[in-house]
Amino acid sequence: MINIKQAKEQFNKFINTYEDKETVGFTLKVKHTNRVINISKIIVKNLKLTKEEQKLAELIALLHDIGRFDEITFFKQYNSAKFDHAGQGIKILFEDNK
């Protein structure tokens, strides 16, 4: 069973580990994540998904760009050809235990 409240708490705890949260890119990424969550809620409601499927969609939306926070911290930009944000997201979620 997915606990969205706990996932959001952990996400907020994660983003609070970054020192430079005031950069424009960091703030935009947080806002982007929240927009994706809100859009996912609209989509799943229209698809008439089960409550658990709705929670899964919201969790995916919450975590879809988690590697971007390291990207903006390391490179001060997004879409860097030098950075695999998806791979970094996997590392954060399954290896780093942040």
Side-chain angles (χ1 to χ4, degrees):
M1 192 156 243
I2 297 170
N3 185 330
I4 288 297
K5 182 179 177 187
Q6 183 180 29
K8 287 181 178 180
E9 288 170 359
Q10 290 300 313
F11 179 80
N12 288 329
K13 183 178 172 183
F14 165 76
I15 63 173
N16 283 327
T17 65
Y18 290 88
E19 292 179 13
D20 195 12
K21 292 184 283 294
E22 300 304 316
T23 64
V24 173
F26 192 93
T27 303
L28 287 174
K29 187 47 54 189
V30 173
K31 289 180 181 180
H32 166 75
T33 298
N34 288 322
R35 278 193 311 274
V36 172
I37 290 168
N38 290 334
I39 291 167
S40 76
K41 289 178 181 180
I42 294 167
I43 292 170
V44 298
K45 189 172 186 176
N46 287 327
L47 292 174
K48 297 181 173 65
L49 299 181
T50 67
K51 292 289 183 190
E52 197 64 17
E53 290 169 330
Q54 291 175 23
K55 290 177 186 179
L56 177 59
E58 190 171 347
L59 180 62
I60 292 167
L62 177 68
L63 301 176
H64 84 282
D65 261 352
I66 200 160
R68 293 278 190 200
F69 292 97
D70 278 356
E71 182 177 18
I72 193 66
T73 299
F74 299 150
F75 296 101
K76 306 297 183 215
Q77 65 181 17
Y78 296 119
N79 298 320
S80 171
K82 300 175 186 176
F83 194 84
D84 174 12
H85 83 278
Q88 185 65 16
I90 291 168
K91 184 178 179 304
I92 290 167
L93 291 171
F94 298 104
E95 298 172 16
D96 287 355
N97 296 318
K98 276 191 177 180

XYZ file of all heavy atoms in Angstrom:
811
model
N 0.834 -1.179 0.000
C 0.000 0.000 0.000
C 0.887 1.254 0.000
O 1.828 1.356 0.781
C -0.902 -0.026 1.219
C -1.999 0.991 1.183
S -3.358 0.465 2.235
C -4.586 0.296 0.991
N 0.597 2.172 -0.863
C 1.396 3.382 -1.013
C 0.916 4.449 -0.039
O -0.268 4.744 0.030
C 1.306 3.897 -2.465
C 1.911 2.863 -3.417
C 1.987 5.244 -2.607
C 1.668 3.136 -4.873
N 1.849 5.014 0.697
C 1.547 6.088 1.635
C 2.078 7.394 1.042
O 3.259 7.720 1.195
C 2.194 5.789 2.988
C 1.818 6.800 4.044
O 1.559 7.964 3.746
N 1.817 6.363 5.291
N 1.211 8.117 0.349
C 1.613 9.354 -0.328
C 2.070 10.407 0.674
O 3.042 11.119 0.430
C 0.455 9.896 -1.205
C 0.279 8.993 -2.423
C 0.711 11.327 -1.648
C 1.484 8.948 -3.348
N 1.393 10.516 1.787
C 1.780 11.503 2.799
C 3.223 11.261 3.240
O 4.026 12.196 3.305
C 0.837 11.446 3.995
C 1.151 12.469 5.062
C 0.178 12.388 6.228
C 0.591 13.388 7.286
N -0.201 13.260 8.501
N 3.551 10.014 3.519
C 4.911 9.687 3.937
C 5.907 9.934 2.809
O 7.011 10.439 3.044
C 4.985 8.231 4.382
C 6.355 7.839 4.896
C 6.415 6.390 5.326
O 5.682 5.552 4.802
N 7.276 6.097 6.269
N 5.527 9.612 1.571
C 6.409 9.843 0.427
C 6.703 11.332 0.266
O 7.851 11.728 0.029
C 5.783 9.282 -0.842
N 5.692 12.168 0.427
C 5.891 13.620 0.325
C 6.773 14.136 1.464
O 7.608 15.025 1.255
C 4.549 14.348 0.303
C 3.810 14.180 -1.010
C 2.486 14.925 -1.007
C 1.786 14.786 -2.344
N 0.498 15.492 -2.368
N 6.583 13.592 2.644
C 7.434 13.980 3.770
C 8.893 13.624 3.490
O 9.798 14.425 3.750
C 6.971 13.306 5.058
C 5.670 13.856 5.602
C 5.088 13.022 6.739
O 5.679 11.983 7.122
O 4.005 13.408 7.240
N 9.127 12.441 2.958
C 10.486 12.016 2.629
C 11.066 12.851 1.492
O 12.258 13.183 1.500
C 10.516 10.524 2.270
C 10.268 9.615 3.445
C 11.308 9.804 4.551
O 12.502 9.849 4.294
N 10.840 9.920 5.778
N 10.244 13.196 0.514
C 10.689 14.055 -0.583
C 11.119 15.412 -0.043
O 12.179 15.935 -0.408
C 9.570 14.216 -1.619
C 9.938 15.113 -2.768
C 10.707 14.639 -3.817
C 9.509 16.434 -2.800
C 11.045 15.457 -4.881
C 9.850 17.260 -3.856
C 10.614 16.775 -4.904
N 10.301 15.993 0.826
C 10.650 17.293 1.413
C 11.914 17.200 2.260
O 12.751 18.100 2.232
C 9.476 17.844 2.226
C 8.351 18.313 1.343
O 8.566 18.764 0.229
N 7.129 18.183 1.821
N 12.053 16.113 2.985
C 13.273 15.886 3.764
C 14.477 15.810 2.821
O 15.529 16.382 3.097
C 13.121 14.588 4.561
C 14.263 14.267 5.472
C 13.958 12.975 6.251
C 15.139 12.499 7.032
N 14.868 11.226 7.725
N 14.306 15.103 1.699
C 15.367 14.973 0.707
C 15.763 16.339 0.142
O 16.945 16.676 0.115
C 14.917 14.036 -0.423
C 15.773 14.112 -1.645
C 17.015 13.500 -1.667
C 15.346 14.790 -2.768
C 17.830 13.578 -2.788
C 16.142 14.868 -3.898
C 17.386 14.261 -3.904
N 14.800 17.131 -0.312
C 15.178 18.399 -0.935
C 15.757 19.378 0.090
O 16.527 20.257 -0.272
C 14.027 19.048 -1.755
C 12.829 19.410 -0.898
C 13.646 18.165 -2.924
C 11.760 20.185 -1.641
N 15.417 19.197 1.345
C 15.984 20.059 2.381
C 17.438 19.714 2.709
O 18.089 20.456 3.435
C 15.124 20.034 3.637
C 13.879 20.870 3.480
O 13.882 21.882 2.792
N 12.796 20.438 4.092
N 17.950 18.610 2.157
C 19.363 18.284 2.362
C 20.267 19.154 1.499
O 21.467 19.222 1.740
C 19.666 16.794 2.050
O 19.440 16.532 0.663
C 18.841 15.878 2.934
N 19.705 19.813 0.504
C 20.494 20.668 -0.379
C 20.686 22.038 0.256
O 19.746 22.619 0.798
C 19.809 20.811 -1.740
C 19.847 19.545 -2.545
C 18.844 18.592 -2.415
C 20.894 19.288 -3.409
C 18.878 17.411 -3.131
C 20.946 18.110 -4.133
C 19.933 17.179 -3.991
O 19.979 16.008 -4.703
N 21.894 22.539 0.177
C 22.204 23.836 0.779
C 21.732 25.007 -0.067
O 21.304 26.023 0.458
C 23.719 23.945 1.016
C 24.212 22.990 2.081
C 25.708 23.073 2.290
O 26.331 24.032 1.799
O 26.248 22.170 2.945
N 21.818 24.889 -1.380
C 21.536 26.014 -2.273
C 20.124 25.925 -2.848
O 19.925 25.787 -4.041
C 22.579 26.044 -3.397
C 22.573 27.364 -4.137
O 21.939 28.323 -3.660
O 23.209 27.437 -5.206
N 19.133 26.007 -1.966
C 17.741 25.885 -2.394
C 17.181 27.168 -2.997
O 16.091 27.165 -3.530
C 16.873 25.459 -1.208
C 17.139 24.055 -0.727
C 16.196 23.643 0.362
C 16.518 24.219 1.684
N 17.735 23.828 2.326
N 17.921 28.240 -2.911
C 17.409 29.530 -3.385
C 17.705 29.788 -4.857
O 17.268 30.797 -5.400
C 17.977 30.663 -2.529
C 17.608 30.549 -1.053
C 16.105 30.474 -0.813
O 15.351 31.247 -1.427
O 15.680 29.625 -0.010
N 18.440 28.894 -5.524
C 18.715 29.108 -6.940
C 17.425 28.975 -7.729
O 16.517 28.225 -7.353
C 19.749 28.102 -7.483
O 19.196 26.794 -7.399
C 21.065 28.177 -6.740
N 17.340 29.697 -8.822
C 16.129 29.692 -9.639
C 15.814 28.286 -10.117
O 14.682 27.830 -10.058
C 16.282 30.654 -10.837
C 15.107 30.533 -11.784
C 16.424 32.077 -10.348
N 16.816 27.562 -10.572
C 16.589 26.220 -11.087
C 16.033 25.276 -10.041
O 15.164 24.456 -10.330
N 16.515 25.376 -8.836
C 16.037 24.508 -7.757
C 14.562 24.790 -7.475
O 13.742 23.874 -7.418
C 16.874 24.729 -6.495
C 16.649 23.691 -5.436
C 17.455 22.571 -5.367
C 15.621 23.831 -4.509
C 17.251 21.600 -4.391
C 15.414 22.871 -3.540
C 16.224 21.756 -3.482
N 14.230 26.050 -7.339
C 12.850 26.453 -7.071
C 11.927 26.037 -8.218
O 10.820 25.544 -7.980
C 12.771 27.975 -6.850
O 13.649 28.324 -5.789
C 11.371 28.425 -6.515
N 12.396 26.221 -9.445
C 11.586 25.826 -10.596
C 11.341 24.319 -10.623
O 10.257 23.865 -10.982
C 12.257 26.258 -11.905
C 12.228 27.745 -12.204
C 13.045 28.052 -13.451
C 10.799 28.250 -12.365
N 12.343 23.535 -10.220
C 12.182 22.081 -10.221
C 11.161 21.646 -9.168
O 10.355 20.751 -9.413
C 13.534 21.403 -9.988
C 13.524 19.910 -10.120
C 12.823 19.355 -11.353
C 13.280 19.894 -12.661
N 12.431 19.487 -13.793
N 11.158 22.290 -8.024
C 10.154 21.973 -7.001
C 8.765 22.325 -7.525
O 7.822 21.527 -7.414
C 10.453 22.710 -5.676
C 9.315 22.522 -4.679
C 11.775 22.234 -5.077
N 8.627 23.500 -8.136
C 7.330 23.912 -8.689
C 6.896 22.975 -9.812
O 5.720 22.613 -9.912
C 7.403 25.355 -9.191
C 7.487 26.364 -8.067
C 7.566 27.783 -8.603
C 7.668 28.773 -7.453
N 7.737 30.161 -7.917
N 7.850 22.576 -10.658
C 7.552 21.650 -11.753
C 7.023 20.327 -11.197
O 6.024 19.796 -11.689
C 8.809 21.409 -12.591
C 8.706 20.244 -13.515
N 7.979 20.281 -14.687
C 9.224 18.994 -13.435
C 8.056 19.101 -15.289
N 8.808 18.302 -14.545
N 7.680 19.820 -10.192
C 7.256 18.555 -9.584
C 5.823 18.671 -9.069
O 4.993 17.781 -9.299
C 8.216 18.157 -8.445
O 9.518 17.955 -8.994
C 7.752 16.901 -7.739
N 5.510 19.761 -8.399
C 4.140 19.958 -7.885
C 3.119 20.078 -9.010
O 1.998 19.563 -8.892
C 4.092 21.165 -6.957
C 4.780 20.877 -5.642
O 4.680 19.780 -5.096
N 5.505 21.843 -5.120
N 3.500 20.725 -10.120
C 2.589 20.812 -11.269
C 2.334 19.422 -11.862
O 1.199 19.086 -12.202
C 3.151 21.742 -12.349
C 2.898 23.206 -12.096
C 3.180 24.072 -13.327
N 4.475 23.803 -13.944
C 5.631 24.355 -13.595
N 5.673 25.240 -12.620
N 6.755 24.056 -14.220
N 3.393 18.622 -11.986
C 3.241 17.272 -12.531
C 2.331 16.442 -11.629
O 1.481 15.686 -12.121
C 4.616 16.605 -12.736
C 4.467 15.140 -13.118
C 5.421 17.342 -13.799
N 2.474 16.583 -10.330
C 1.586 15.881 -9.390
C 0.141 16.291 -9.621
O -0.757 15.436 -9.714
C 1.997 16.145 -7.932
C 3.328 15.457 -7.616
C 0.908 15.687 -6.954
C 3.951 15.898 -6.302
N -0.115 17.582 -9.714
C -1.485 18.069 -9.915
C -2.064 17.593 -11.242
O -3.236 17.202 -11.319
C -1.530 19.588 -9.810
C -1.290 20.063 -8.394
O -1.558 19.351 -7.433
N -0.752 21.262 -8.255
N -1.254 17.604 -12.296
C -1.719 17.131 -13.600
C -2.001 15.628 -13.542
O -2.991 15.155 -14.114
C -0.702 17.479 -14.701
C -0.682 18.999 -14.913
C -1.020 16.757 -16.009
C 0.482 19.503 -15.747
N -1.148 14.887 -12.847
C -1.371 13.437 -12.746
C -2.703 13.142 -12.053
O -3.399 12.195 -12.420
C -0.215 12.747 -12.014
O -0.275 12.952 -10.624
N -3.053 13.952 -11.067
C -4.332 13.756 -10.373
C -5.512 13.947 -11.317
O -6.508 13.219 -11.246
C -4.442 14.711 -9.188
C -3.531 14.365 -8.034
C -3.685 15.392 -6.932
C -2.775 15.116 -5.762
N -2.932 16.113 -4.689
N -5.414 14.917 -12.201
C -6.478 15.166 -13.185
C -6.573 14.002 -14.163
O -7.666 13.505 -14.464
C -6.215 16.492 -13.937
C -6.331 17.673 -12.965
C -7.171 16.655 -15.114
C -5.798 18.979 -13.508
N -5.426 13.541 -14.638
C -5.410 12.448 -15.614
C -5.999 11.175 -15.014
O -6.860 10.541 -15.632
C -3.972 12.204 -16.125
C -3.509 13.400 -16.964
C -3.893 10.912 -16.931
C -2.033 13.383 -17.307
N -5.538 10.804 -13.810
C -6.023 9.544 -13.240
C -7.509 9.617 -12.888
O -8.214 8.605 -12.967
C -5.196 9.080 -12.015
C -3.761 8.828 -12.407
C -5.274 10.049 -10.868
N -7.981 10.779 -12.537
C -9.409 10.920 -12.244
C -10.228 10.695 -13.519
O -11.246 10.007 -13.501
C -9.690 12.308 -11.661
C -11.078 12.468 -11.123
C -11.232 13.782 -10.391
C -12.593 13.847 -9.730
N -12.744 15.067 -8.939
N -9.749 11.261 -14.627
C -10.443 11.078 -15.895
C -10.365 9.638 -16.402
O -11.256 9.180 -17.112
C -9.892 12.033 -16.952
C -10.319 13.466 -16.707
O -11.412 13.722 -16.215
N -9.457 14.407 -17.033
N -9.310 8.934 -16.022
C -9.157 7.532 -16.428
C -9.924 6.576 -15.518
O -9.988 5.380 -15.791
C -7.674 7.148 -16.447
C -6.822 7.810 -17.518
C -5.354 7.451 -17.322
C -7.298 7.405 -18.914
N -10.452 7.120 -14.436
C -11.218 6.326 -13.469
C -10.399 5.160 -12.915
O -10.863 4.022 -12.847
C -12.521 5.842 -14.088
C -13.458 6.968 -14.475
C -14.740 6.450 -15.063
C -15.751 7.509 -15.294
N -15.508 8.524 -16.227
N -9.172 5.472 -12.516
C -8.289 4.460 -11.938
C -8.670 4.182 -10.491
O -9.337 4.984 -9.841
C -6.838 4.928 -12.006
C -6.276 5.195 -13.400
C -4.822 5.637 -13.299
C -6.398 3.976 -14.296
N -8.224 3.033 -9.992
C -8.483 2.694 -8.589
C -7.695 3.653 -7.688
O -6.764 4.326 -8.136
C -8.028 1.256 -8.278
O -6.608 1.187 -8.379
C -8.687 0.245 -9.204
N -8.048 3.673 -6.423
C -7.345 4.536 -5.459
C -5.855 4.195 -5.412
O -5.011 5.084 -5.357
C -7.958 4.413 -4.063
C -9.349 4.976 -3.954
C -9.323 6.485 -4.027
C -10.725 7.040 -3.833
N -10.787 8.456 -4.128
N -5.532 2.916 -5.437
C -4.120 2.515 -5.378
C -3.379 2.929 -6.653
O -2.231 3.369 -6.601
C -4.003 1.007 -5.136
C -2.648 0.579 -4.655
C -2.236 1.140 -3.293
O -3.089 1.635 -2.517
O -1.038 1.096 -2.998
N -4.037 2.817 -7.798
C -3.426 3.269 -9.055
C -3.234 4.784 -9.042
O -2.227 5.299 -9.554
C -4.294 2.852 -10.241
C -4.285 1.364 -10.503
C -5.345 0.926 -11.496
O -6.428 1.562 -11.577
O -5.100 -0.073 -12.195
N -4.167 5.500 -8.437
C -4.028 6.954 -8.317
C -2.832 7.306 -7.448
O -2.065 8.217 -7.774
C -5.302 7.553 -7.721
C -6.495 7.488 -8.650
C -7.773 7.974 -7.993
O -7.753 8.731 -7.036
N -8.905 7.524 -8.517
N -2.665 6.578 -6.349
C -1.524 6.816 -5.463
C -0.211 6.516 -6.178
O 0.771 7.241 -6.023
C -1.636 5.974 -4.199
C -2.731 6.411 -3.262
C -2.810 5.477 -2.073
C -3.969 5.776 -1.182
N -4.044 4.833 -0.049
N -0.188 5.448 -6.963
C 1.014 5.096 -7.710
C 1.365 6.190 -8.712
O 2.530 6.585 -8.830
C 0.837 3.750 -8.421
C 2.013 3.299 -9.290
C 3.284 3.184 -8.468
C 1.666 1.982 -9.978
N 0.365 6.695 -9.411
C 0.602 7.772 -10.375
C 1.146 9.017 -9.670
O 2.066 9.679 -10.170
C -0.693 8.106 -11.127
N 0.609 9.322 -8.501
C 1.082 10.483 -7.751
C 2.522 10.267 -7.268
O 3.341 11.183 -7.310
C 0.159 10.764 -6.569
C 0.447 12.078 -5.894
C -0.583 12.471 -4.853
O -1.675 11.867 -4.800
O -0.288 13.404 -4.084
N 2.835 9.063 -6.845
C 4.197 8.748 -6.414
C 5.179 8.871 -7.581
O 6.268 9.439 -7.431
C 4.243 7.341 -5.821
C 5.602 6.872 -5.316
C 6.094 7.755 -4.173
C 5.528 5.417 -4.878
N 4.791 8.360 -8.733
C 5.639 8.480 -9.921
C 5.861 9.948 -10.263
O 6.984 10.367 -10.568
C 5.019 7.713 -11.107
C 5.072 6.208 -10.833
C 5.709 8.059 -12.416
C 4.227 5.369 -11.780
N 4.808 10.736 -10.204
C 4.938 12.168 -10.487
C 5.877 12.846 -9.486
O 6.704 13.680 -9.859
C 3.558 12.827 -10.459
N 5.763 12.467 -8.232
C 6.601 13.046 -7.183
C 8.084 12.768 -7.434
O 8.933 13.637 -7.246
C 6.185 12.493 -5.819
C 7.000 12.928 -4.610
C 6.802 14.422 -4.324
C 6.617 12.098 -3.390
N 8.388 11.561 -7.894
C 9.785 11.135 -7.990
C 10.372 11.203 -9.394
O 11.560 10.937 -9.569
C 9.909 9.702 -7.459
C 9.468 9.504 -6.011
C 9.539 8.028 -5.645
C 10.299 10.350 -5.066
N 9.569 11.597 -10.383
C 10.000 11.476 -11.776
C 11.273 12.248 -12.119
O 12.006 11.863 -13.024
C 8.858 11.870 -12.727
C 8.745 13.332 -12.970
N 8.161 14.200 -12.063
C 9.162 14.078 -14.009
C 8.210 15.421 -12.553
N 8.814 15.385 -13.725
N 11.560 13.310 -11.449
C 12.737 14.140 -11.764
C 13.671 14.294 -10.572
O 14.440 15.260 -10.501
C 12.292 15.536 -12.228
C 12.282 15.695 -13.733
O 12.760 14.786 -14.437
O 11.808 16.741 -14.209
N 13.660 13.363 -9.667
C 14.435 13.522 -8.430
C 15.934 13.680 -8.706
O 16.631 14.380 -7.979
C 14.140 12.371 -7.440
C 14.543 12.798 -6.039
C 14.757 11.066 -7.885
C 13.891 11.992 -4.956
N 16.423 13.104 -9.789
C 17.835 13.252 -10.144
C 18.196 14.643 -10.619
O 19.374 15.027 -10.631
N 17.214 15.428 -11.018
C 17.471 16.796 -11.493
C 18.011 17.700 -10.381
O 18.710 18.671 -10.662
C 16.203 17.418 -12.063
C 15.710 16.782 -13.324
C 16.448 17.306 -14.515
N 15.800 16.853 -15.735
C 16.394 16.819 -16.892
N 17.654 17.206 -17.011
N 15.760 16.396 -17.950
N 17.700 17.397 -9.136
C 18.186 18.244 -8.052
C 19.706 18.179 -7.950
O 20.359 19.188 -7.703
C 17.502 17.888 -6.726
C 16.043 18.237 -6.727
C 15.080 17.281 -7.001
C 15.633 19.537 -6.485
C 13.731 17.602 -7.032
C 14.284 19.877 -6.516
C 13.334 18.907 -6.789
N 20.264 17.000 -8.168
C 21.725 16.899 -8.212
C 22.274 17.593 -9.449
O 23.313 18.238 -9.398
C 22.172 15.439 -8.207
C 22.206 14.838 -6.812
O 21.958 15.568 -5.828
O 22.482 13.628 -6.713
N 21.573 17.465 -10.563
C 22.029 18.094 -11.805
C 22.152 19.607 -11.642
O 23.169 20.195 -12.023
C 21.072 17.762 -12.947
C 21.511 18.336 -14.271
C 20.589 17.948 -15.408
O 19.441 17.536 -15.153
O 21.027 18.071 -16.557
N 21.141 20.236 -11.079
C 21.200 21.688 -10.910
C 22.272 22.072 -9.897
O 22.935 23.092 -10.024
C 19.820 22.296 -10.539
C 19.827 23.824 -10.676
C 19.376 21.922 -9.156
C 19.989 24.335 -12.058
N 22.493 21.219 -8.916
C 23.519 21.485 -7.915
C 24.918 21.370 -8.527
O 25.776 22.220 -8.297
C 23.384 20.506 -6.732
O 22.093 20.711 -6.140
C 24.445 20.749 -5.682
N 25.148 20.333 -9.330
C 26.471 20.093 -9.900
C 26.786 20.993 -11.094
O 27.902 21.485 -11.237
C 26.629 18.637 -10.350
C 26.478 17.628 -9.250
C 25.983 16.368 -9.529
C 26.817 17.911 -7.934
C 25.840 15.411 -8.529
C 26.670 16.972 -6.923
C 26.183 15.717 -7.227
N 25.797 21.198 -11.989
C 26.054 21.879 -13.255
C 25.397 23.246 -13.381
O 25.628 23.949 -14.358
C 25.601 20.999 -14.428
C 26.378 19.725 -14.533
C 25.848 18.537 -14.064
C 27.642 19.715 -15.086
C 26.561 17.350 -14.148
C 28.371 18.545 -15.175
C 27.827 17.361 -14.702
N 24.547 23.607 -12.438
C 23.828 24.891 -12.468
C 22.962 25.038 -13.718
O 22.694 26.145 -14.178
C 24.799 26.073 -12.368
C 25.735 26.015 -11.179
C 24.995 26.071 -9.870
C 25.974 26.089 -8.715
N 25.525 25.392 -7.550
N 22.536 23.911 -14.282
C 21.643 23.911 -15.442
C 20.976 22.548 -15.568
O 21.394 21.582 -14.939
C 22.400 24.216 -16.727
C 23.409 23.158 -17.108
C 24.162 23.502 -18.382
O 24.160 24.637 -18.814
N 24.796 22.531 -18.979
N 19.940 22.472 -16.415
C 19.274 21.216 -16.712
C 19.616 20.806 -18.134
O 20.057 21.614 -18.931
C 17.748 21.351 -16.582
C 17.301 21.660 -15.183
C 16.619 22.827 -14.898
C 17.562 20.792 -14.145
C 16.203 23.114 -13.616
C 17.155 21.068 -12.855
C 16.470 22.232 -12.607
O 16.071 22.504 -11.333
N 19.335 19.561 -18.445
C 19.591 19.003 -19.768
C 21.065 18.997 -20.121
O 21.440 19.096 -21.274
C 18.776 19.734 -20.851
C 17.295 19.587 -20.630
O 16.825 18.529 -20.266
N 16.552 20.662 -20.821
N 21.882 18.880 -19.124
C 23.313 18.806 -19.364
C 23.636 17.495 -20.076
O 23.216 16.431 -19.650
C 24.076 18.876 -18.034
O 25.437 18.598 -18.251
N 24.385 17.584 -21.150
C 24.796 16.377 -21.884
C 25.726 15.517 -21.032
O 25.938 14.350 -21.323
C 25.480 16.774 -23.184
N 26.255 16.078 -19.975
C 27.197 15.377 -19.111
C 26.515 14.656 -17.950
O 27.188 14.027 -17.149
C 28.209 16.374 -18.528
C 29.023 17.104 -19.556
C 29.899 18.136 -18.892
C 30.622 18.968 -19.915
N 31.397 20.037 -19.310
N 25.202 14.737 -17.846
C 24.528 14.244 -16.649
C 23.298 13.420 -17.005
O 22.418 13.887 -17.714
C 24.129 15.428 -15.763
C 23.745 15.040 -14.370
C 24.711 14.855 -13.406
C 22.429 14.851 -14.030
C 24.381 14.491 -12.108
C 22.069 14.489 -12.742
C 23.055 14.312 -11.784
N 23.213 12.214 -16.501
C 22.066 11.328 -16.695
C 21.164 11.451 -15.467
O 21.362 10.767 -14.467
C 22.568 9.898 -16.873
C 21.451 8.862 -16.930
O 20.268 9.257 -17.060
O 21.761 7.667 -16.836
N 20.174 12.342 -15.542
C 19.343 12.576 -14.359
C 18.478 11.365 -14.011
O 18.175 11.141 -12.841
C 18.505 13.855 -14.504
C 17.235 13.694 -15.269
N 17.184 13.703 -16.634
C 15.963 13.535 -14.848
C 15.946 13.558 -17.033
N 15.174 13.450 -15.966
N 18.105 10.562 -14.994
C 17.328 9.356 -14.697
C 18.185 8.348 -13.926
O 17.742 7.777 -12.926
C 16.801 8.739 -15.985
N 19.398 8.154 -14.383
C 20.316 7.264 -13.677
C 20.621 7.769 -12.282
O 20.711 6.982 -11.319
N 20.768 9.077 -12.151
C 21.019 9.666 -10.835
C 19.815 9.478 -9.933
O 19.953 9.241 -8.733
C 21.365 11.157 -10.964
C 21.748 11.815 -9.677
C 23.047 11.270 -9.088
O 23.822 10.598 -9.760
N 23.279 11.563 -7.832
N 18.611 9.563 -10.492
C 17.401 9.330 -9.711
C 17.357 7.913 -9.154
O 17.001 7.701 -7.995
N 17.747 6.954 -9.967
C 17.808 5.563 -9.503
C 18.809 5.434 -8.368
O 18.546 4.788 -7.355
C 18.169 4.626 -10.675
C 16.997 4.574 -11.659
C 18.526 3.225 -10.176
C 17.329 3.939 -12.978
N 19.964 6.064 -8.537
C 20.994 6.027 -7.490
C 20.458 6.634 -6.176
O 20.625 6.064 -5.109
C 22.240 6.779 -7.951
C 23.396 6.726 -6.974
C 24.596 7.471 -7.568
C 25.787 7.473 -6.645
N 25.567 7.998 -5.325
N 19.809 7.767 -6.293
C 19.252 8.431 -5.098
C 18.217 7.539 -4.413
O 18.235 7.368 -3.200
C 18.628 9.787 -5.482
C 19.718 10.789 -5.865
C 17.748 10.337 -4.356
C 19.200 12.038 -6.556
N 17.320 6.970 -5.197
C 16.208 6.201 -4.629
C 16.614 4.837 -4.090
O 16.045 4.369 -3.095
C 15.110 6.023 -5.673
C 14.370 7.290 -6.053
C 13.466 7.034 -7.242
C 13.571 7.829 -4.878
N 17.611 4.214 -4.714
C 17.910 2.842 -4.344
C 19.293 2.596 -3.755
O 19.554 1.523 -3.249
C 17.712 1.922 -5.564
C 16.305 1.920 -6.047
C 15.948 2.620 -7.186
C 15.312 1.245 -5.364
C 14.634 2.631 -7.644
C 13.992 1.242 -5.799
C 13.661 1.946 -6.940
N 20.160 3.621 -3.801
C 21.509 3.399 -3.311
C 21.948 4.366 -2.218
O 22.644 3.977 -1.299
C 22.514 3.471 -4.469
C 22.285 2.403 -5.521
C 23.143 2.599 -6.758
O 24.129 3.368 -6.715
O 22.821 1.989 -7.796
N 21.565 5.612 -2.318
C 22.106 6.644 -1.428
C 21.496 6.661 -0.039
O 22.122 7.118 0.907
C 21.937 8.035 -2.047
C 22.891 8.263 -3.203
O 23.743 7.396 -3.461
O 22.779 9.323 -3.850
N 20.266 6.244 0.102
C 19.572 6.292 1.392
C 19.559 7.680 2.003
O 19.753 7.845 3.205
C 20.185 5.282 2.386
C 20.001 3.866 1.926
O 18.937 3.494 1.449
N 21.039 3.072 2.058
N 19.357 8.709 1.186
C 19.308 10.096 1.686
C 18.079 10.301 2.516
O 17.057 9.780 2.304
C 19.298 11.099 0.534
C 20.677 11.401 0.045
C 20.607 12.581 -0.894
C 21.980 12.980 -1.352
N 21.962 14.104 -2.255
